[in-house]
Amino acid sequence: MARLKITAVIYLTLGILGLAAAVLVPVVISRSGTAVLPIWVSAASPGPLSSAHAFLGVQCESCHTPYQGIKAASCITCHAADALVLAKQSTAFHATIGECQGCHVEHQGAAVRPIKMDHAVLIEASLTAARDRISPGAPAATGMEALRRSLVAVTGQGPAKTGEVLECASCHSFRDKHRTMFGQQCADCHATETWKIAGFLHPSPKSQDCNQCHQAPPSHFMMHFAMMDQKITGQSSARVEQCYLCHQTDSFNAIKGVGWFKMH
Ligand code: HEC
Ligand code: HEC
Ligand code: HEC
Ligand code: HEC
Ligand code: HEC
Ligand code: HEC
Ligand code: HEC
C-alpha cells in the first residue's frame, strides 16, 4: 500500500513539473525569444538547419512566428529582391507569390539545400487568385482536399489536368527542346516531375521524317551549309530538310560517316 502511495506521489510530482514546464517554456520563449532557452529549443527543432541558414543558430523566430508558423514576411525580410531569381523565367513568380513553405524545406541538415520545387503550391496559388476573383474573401484553400474543392468551384469540373491551371510555357518556354514545333501546351505530353517521358522511344535512325520534329540551326540556311556541312559530309546535293542524310539520332554532333563533330 505504502509503496503504491509513494509511486503515486512521484508520478503526481512529475506530472505537475511537466505541466509547469509545458506552460513556462512557451511563455518564456514568447517573452524573451528562443535564444534564452537554447536546450529546449534544439529539443523542439526537427533537425539541423541548411548550411545557408545555419548562421541563424537558435534564432528560430527569424522564420517562425509564434502560434502562426512560417510566414512569407519573415523570409522576405532577408530575401526581398533577389534580382537573379526574379530575372529567371521559371522563378519570376517570386515577385508575387505570398507563400514560401512547400517549395522551401528546412531542418534537413547542412547538406540539403532548402529548395524542393512543388508545382502543387503554384496550382493552389493560381486557384486562390481565381477564386478571389469569383468570390472575394472566401477562406483560403489549404491542402489537397481544399485544392480539389477549389478546382470544382473554378472549373465546374472534378480535378483537372495541371495544364488547365498552369501555363507551363510561361515559365518554361526557354527550356523548350522542340523550339515551338510541338506547340505551347507542354502538359499535353509532360508531367511536372521530370521532362523525361516514360516509354518514349525515339524514331529509328532510318526515319526520313526528322524535320517534322527538329529544326535546323540558322547556320544551315547560310553559306555555311554549302561551304561546311555539305563538304564535311560529302552530301553535296543534300537539302537542309534531309537531316537524315547527315545526322545520327543520339546527338546532332554525331555526323553520319564522320563521327563526332563540333564546330564551335
Ligand atoms: C531559416 C528559417 C528557419 C529557421 C531559422 C528555423 N526554422 Fe523551423 N522550419 C522552417 C521551415 C521552412 C519549416 C517547414 C519545413 C518543411 O516544410 O520542410 C520548419 C519546420 C519546423 C517545425 C515543424 C513544424 C512546422 O511548423 O512545420 C518545427 C517544430 C520547427 N521548424 C522548429 C524550429 C526551431 C525550434 C528552430 C530554432 C532552433 C527553427 N525551427 C528554426 C524554417 C526555419
Ligand atoms: C535573417 C535572414 C534570413 C532569413 C529570415 C531567411 N533567410 Fe534564406 N538566406 C539567408 C542568407 C544570408 C542566405 C545565404 C546567402 C544567399 O543565398 O542569399 C540564405 C539562403 C537562402 C536560400 C538559398 C539556399 C541555397 O542553398 O542556395 C533559400 C532558398 C532561402 N534562403 C530561402 C529562405 C526562406 C524560404 C526563408 C523563410 C522560411 C528564409 N530563407 C529566411 C538569410 C535569411
Ligand atoms: C512554387 C515553389 C516556390 C515558392 C512558393 C517559393 N519558391 Fe523560392 N524558389 C523556388 C525554386 C524552385 C528555386 C530555385 C530556382 C533555381 O535554382 O533556379 C527558388 C529559389 C529561391 C531563392 C534563391 C535561392 C538561390 O539559389 O540563391 C530564394 C532566396 C527564394 N527562392 C526565396 C523564396 C521566398 C522568400 C519565397 C516566399 C515569398 C519563395 N521563395 C517561394 C521555388 C519556390
Ligand atoms: C510559375 C512558374 C511555373 C509554371 C507555370 C510551371 N512550372 Fe515547372 N518548374 C518551375 C520551377 C521554378 C521549376 C524548378 C526550377 C527550374 O527547373 O527552373 C520547375 C521545374 C519543372 C520540371 C522539373 C525540371 C527538372 O529538370 O527537374 C518539370 C518537368 C516541369 N517544371 C514541368 C512543368 C509543366 C509540365 C508545367 C505545366 C503543367 C509547369 N512545369 C508549370 C516553374 C513553373
Ligand atoms: C507532342 C508532345 C510534346 C509536347 C507538346 C512537348 N513535348 Fe517536350 N518532349 C516530348 C518528348 C516525346 C520528349 C522526349 C522525352 C524523353 O526523351 O523521355 C520531350 C523532351 C523534352 C525535353 C528534354 C527532356 C530530356 O531530359 O531530354 C524538354 C526540356 C522538353 N521536352 C520541354 C518541353 C516544353 C517546355 C514544352 C512546351 C513548350 C514541351 N516540351 C512540349 C514531347 C512533347
Ligand atoms: C548536308 C548535311 C546536313 C544536313 C542535311 C543537315 N545537317 Fe545539321 N549539321 C551538319 C554538320 C556537318 C554539322 C556540324 C557542323 C555545324 O555545326 O554546322 C551540323 C550541325 C547541326 C546542329 C548543331 C549541333 C551543335 O553543334 O550544337 C544541329 C542542331 C543540326 N545540325 C540539326 C539539323 C537538322 C534538324 C537538320 C534537318 C532539318 C539538319 N541539321 C540537316 C550537317 C547537316
Ligand atoms: C516524331 C518526332 C521525331 C522524329 C521523326 C525524329 N525525332 Fe529526334 N527527337 C525527338 C524528340 C521528342 C527528342 C527529345 C527532345 C529533344 O532532345 O529534342 C529527340 C531527340 C533527338 C536527338 C537528341 C538531341 C539532343 O540534343 O540530345 C537527336 C540527335 C535527334 N533526335 C535526331 C533525329 C534524327 C536525325 C531524326 C531522323 C532520322 C529524328 N531525330 C527524328 C523527336 C523526333
Side-chain angles (χ1 to χ4, degrees):
M1 256 328 238
R3 273 185 82 173
L4 258 182
K5 261 190 191 154
I6 286 166
T7 44
V9 168
I10 290 171
Y11 280 129
L12 191 66
T13 317
L14 281 177
I16 290 170
L17 279 177
L19 260 177
V23 171
L24 272 175
V25 168
V27 167
V28 173
I29 287 176
S30 59
R31 286 219 182 128
S32 332
T34 42
V36 290
L37 279 173
I39 295 166
W40 283 99
V41 159
S42 50
S45 169
L49 293 169
S50 59
S51 59
H53 289 136
F55 77 95
L56 289 170
V58 292
Q59 291 167 275
C60 317
E61 62 277 9
S62 314
C63 299
H64 292 274
T65 307
Y67 315 116
Q68 293 179 47
I70 305 284
K71 295 179 74 183
S74 312
C75 313
I76 291 169
T77 309
C78 297
H79 294 293
D82 196 320
L84 286 175
V85 170
L86 296 179
K88 189 183 161 195
Q89 186 191 37
S90 65
T91 48
F93 68 82
H94 277 79
T96 50
I97 201 100
E99 165 86 51
C100 313
Q101 222 177 322
C103 298
H104 291 294
V105 293
E106 252 307 342
H107 301 292
Q108 319 240 334
V112 179
R113 291 179 64 202
I115 302 172
K116 188 171 177 291
M117 181 60 198
D118 185 350
H119 288 77
V121 178
L122 290 176
I123 295 176
E124 201 160 337
S126 313
L127 289 171
T128 305
R131 195 213 47 229
D132 283 350
R133 280 197 302 275
I134 298 166
S135 55
T142 50
M144 286 312 284
E145 189 45 43
L147 173 59
R148 252 177 243 118
R149 273 188 272 119
S150 329
L151 268 170
V152 175
V154 172
T155 63
Q157 305 159 4
K161 286 197 301 179
T162 50
E164 285 161 20
V165 182
L166 296 183
E167 226 185 283
C168 319
S170 69
C171 293
H172 292 303
S173 70
F174 291 1
R175 299 197 60 154
D176 185 2
K177 275 272 198 176
H178 326 297
R179 297 157 169 248
T180 71
M181 288 183 96
F182 291 0
Q184 300 296 299
Q185 304 305 319
C186 320
D188 284 354
C189 303
H190 290 286
T192 53
E193 288 70 36
T194 167
W195 293 110
K196 290 274 173 220
I197 297 174
F200 171 70
L201 187 59
H202 189 275
S204 160
K206 292 185 196 132
S207 160
Q208 302 200 345
D209 296 332
C210 321
N211 70 335
Q212 288 183 13
C213 304
H214 295 288
Q215 233 169 49
S219 65
H220 284 34
F221 301 96
M222 300 173 186
M223 283 298 286
H224 182 93
F225 191 67
M227 298 189 50
M228 298 294 304
D229 300 333
Q230 287 182 336
K231 287 217 172 82
I232 291 163
T233 55
Q235 296 284 358
S236 53
S237 54
R239 285 171 283 116
V240 172
E241 60 272 24
Q242 294 173 305
C243 330
Y244 53 89
L245 290 178
C246 308
H247 287 285
Q248 292 284 9
T249 51
D250 49 357
S251 163
F252 279 108
N253 294 111
I255 310 294
K256 281 182 177 161
V258 176
W260 181 262
F261 190 95
K262 180 89 181 144
M263 193 73 199
H264 303 289

